[in-house]
Each structure stands twice: as C-alpha cells, then as structure tokens.
C-alpha cells in the first residue's frame, strides 16, 4: 500500500495509544503487521502502548528467519529475554546454561 509518505514518516500524537488504536488511526489492517518496534524494542501489537514522542516501526509478516532473530521477533513477537535466550538456575542451585 503506497501512501506517498516520506521515509521516515513523522506523525504527531497527543495521547497514548495501544498498538491496535495506532493501526486503526493509520487505517492499516492488523493482518499486514506482525509486530512493532517501539524505541528499538520488538513488541507484539496487542502489548504495544505508543506514547507521544516514541519512534515506531511496523514489521510486516513474512520477515525471513535471520532477520527475525536480529529484530527480536523470532518464535514470538515479544521475547521474554533478548534474542529468546533464557538463563535459569541449574538443579544444583548454580547458574545454568542457555535453555
């Protein structure tokens, strides 16, 4: 969908918006966006809250695997840990390895 917007496109908002509200405001179908990157952090549309002054990128569905890892959207749109890494204590009480 070409709207003739500049890249980047600057949009002023005056109040906080959820991810769904932003998509409605921009008249963009939610099926055309997989997740957001808000202030350099990947976040699921349903978890996003956009504040005035935030920098937001919309990530389309179908981003290839290596790029998903770099963007932090692989396996889920809001990773619990950066790059999906999880560190836990081992059964002996010490620090465990990557899971």
């Amino acid at each position: 969908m070409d709207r003739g917007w500049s890249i980047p496109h600057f949009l002023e908002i005056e109040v906080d918006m959820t991810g769904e509200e932003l998509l409605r405001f921009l008249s963009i179908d939610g099926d055309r966006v997989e997740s957001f990157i808000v202030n350099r952090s990947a976040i699921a549309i349903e978890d996003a809250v956009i504040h005035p002054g935030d920098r937001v990128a919309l990530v389309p569905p179908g981003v290839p695997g290596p790029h998903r890892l770099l963007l932090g959207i692989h396996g889920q749109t809001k990773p619990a840990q950066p790059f999906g890494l999880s560190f836990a204590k081992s059964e002996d009480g010490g620090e465990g390895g990557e899971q």
Side-chain angles (χ1 to χ4, degrees):
M1 169 185 323
D2 185 7
R3 296 181 184 214
W5 289 349
S6 61
I7 299 175
H9 180 70
F10 294 94
L11 174 71
E12 297 282 334
I13 63 170
E14 296 180 8
V15 296
D16 293 353
M17 291 184 162
T18 65
E20 290 95 351
E21 290 171 335
L22 179 63
L23 292 178
R24 278 194 302 274
F25 182 76
L26 296 172
S27 299
I28 296 175
D29 183 11
D31 293 341
R32 297 179 57 92
V33 179
E34 183 172 349
S35 71
F36 289 120
I37 296 179
V38 180
N39 299 324
R40 299 183 181 178
S41 295
I43 189 163
I45 295 169
E46 60 272 8
D47 295 332
V49 177
I50 314 302
H51 306 284
D54 282 352
R55 295 182 64 131
V56 180
L58 282 60
V59 179
V63 174
H67 302 290
R68 298 177 71 74
L69 178 67
L70 293 172
L71 292 171
I73 61 169
H74 68 291
Q76 55 187 10
T77 54
K78 184 180 178 187
Q81 298 290 328
F83 300 107
L85 299 178
S86 176
F87 296 92
K89 293 197 181 269
S90 63
E91 291 181 18
D92 65 4
E95 288 296 318
E98 183 181 333
Q99 293 186 2

